[in-house]
Amino acid sequence: MRVIVGIGNPGSRYKNNRHNVGFQFLDFFSEKKKLSFKASNFCYHFSEGQLFGDTFVLMRPDTYVNNSGLAVLECIKHYKLDIVDLLVVVDDINLDLADIRIRKSGGDGGHNGLSSIIYNIQSKNFPRLRIGIGSNFKSGNLAEYVLSDFDKNDFMLLEKSFHLGVRLVESFISSGYNKMLSTFSRLKNLDKLNLE
């Protein structure tokens, strides 16, 4: 069992925000796999699926970004999950728009959602899939920037990178982080258009 968590804020007003790229990616992935989200008995929405005979869960916290860790902790306890089987999909201002990187563990990098997860589960040792949202904002305007919407051209770039993200998540579901790393090393230099 592996769980893929997208970081974002619930509600239509936030749907196209830069801060919601984790939710946007999970929507893209679930559409590809013909899955839909439903409410749980906890503070998150989820979707369960199977890939290569392996069960996986997509999870979107209902707690808003800054309290993402509350939902992640509930999910870990409910599924009795080892944290190495948790993959967090998160926006990253330190990467160019639509750039993708993966990381096995680490700090929060100034991201409140990651900070909340680390605090609540008391560990930094969970994999992340980081999706760049760029940093085209003036000093002091970070909050306004991450809560602003992507434009149409941004979404076109993101969709190309989401195809790569799907391949990475598929590898994670089948064999964990090391398989995902191998897939990333093999595909990262290819034209993302060829990954569809």
Side-chain angles (χ1 to χ4, degrees):
M1 163 72 75
R2 292 189 170 89
V3 173
I4 298 89
V5 176
I7 299 299
N9 290 312
S12 58
R13 64 178 289 194
Y14 301 106
K15 182 178 181 181
N16 297 321
N17 283 185
R18 290 175 170 84
H19 224 14
N20 270 42
V21 77
F23 278 17
Q24 293 155 14
F25 173 75
L26 286 196
D27 286 342
F28 184 88
F29 188 88
S30 63
E31 183 177 333
K32 291 289 181 186
K33 304 303 178 187
K34 296 180 171 56
L35 301 172
S36 57
F37 285 88
K38 56 187 175 182
S40 71
N41 294 324
F42 308 98
C43 54
Y44 57 82
H45 277 66
F46 75 106
S47 181
E48 293 184 350
Q50 283 209 332
L51 188 68
F52 315 124
D54 298 306
T55 301
F56 66 89
V57 175
L58 308 178
M59 191 270 268
R60 299 191 313 199
D62 295 329
T63 52
Y64 294 88
V65 169
N66 291 356
N67 290 311
S68 299
L70 298 173
V72 171
L73 181 60
E74 285 188 336
C75 187
I76 287 173
K77 288 181 175 179
H78 177 67
Y79 288 105
K80 298 179 174 60
L81 192 73
D82 188 319
I83 59 173
V84 299
D85 294 322
L86 172 75
L87 177 65
V88 176
V89 184
V90 61
D91 58 287
D92 195 324
I93 61 168
N94 299 305
L95 297 176
D96 291 339
L97 176 66
D99 199 4
I100 283 186
R101 293 289 185 273
I102 60 175
R103 192 172 183 187
K104 191 172 186 179
S105 61
D108 59 39
H111 193 288
N112 290 338
L114 289 177
S115 176
S116 175
I117 293 171
I118 291 168
Y119 174 80
N120 279 276
I121 72 173
Q122 292 294 291
S123 178
K124 300 177 180 180
N125 298 321
F126 56 90
R128 305 98 191 270
L129 191 158
R130 301 155 51 213
I131 301 177
I133 61 170
S135 56
N136 187 24
F137 60 91
K138 295 180 180 178
S139 178
N141 289 344
L142 172 61
E144 291 83 354
Y145 178 74
V146 298
L147 293 176
S148 63
D149 287 354
F150 289 115
D151 63 27
K152 185 177 180 179
N153 290 332
D154 292 339
F155 273 122
M156 290 174 65
L157 284 174
L158 282 168
E159 185 169 286
K160 293 177 184 178
S161 92
F162 282 177
H163 287 289
L164 171 59
V166 167
R167 297 282 288 274
L168 297 175
V169 170
E170 287 175 342
S171 293
F172 180 78
I173 291 168
S174 68
S175 300
Y177 180 82
N178 288 338
K179 176 68 173 178
M180 182 171 67
L181 179 60
S182 175
T183 300
F184 181 75
S185 299
R186 180 166 52 88
L187 296 179
K188 66 179 179 179
N189 294 320
L190 297 179
D191 185 344
K192 296 180 181 68
L193 286 171
N194 294 328
L195 293 172
E196 298 181 29

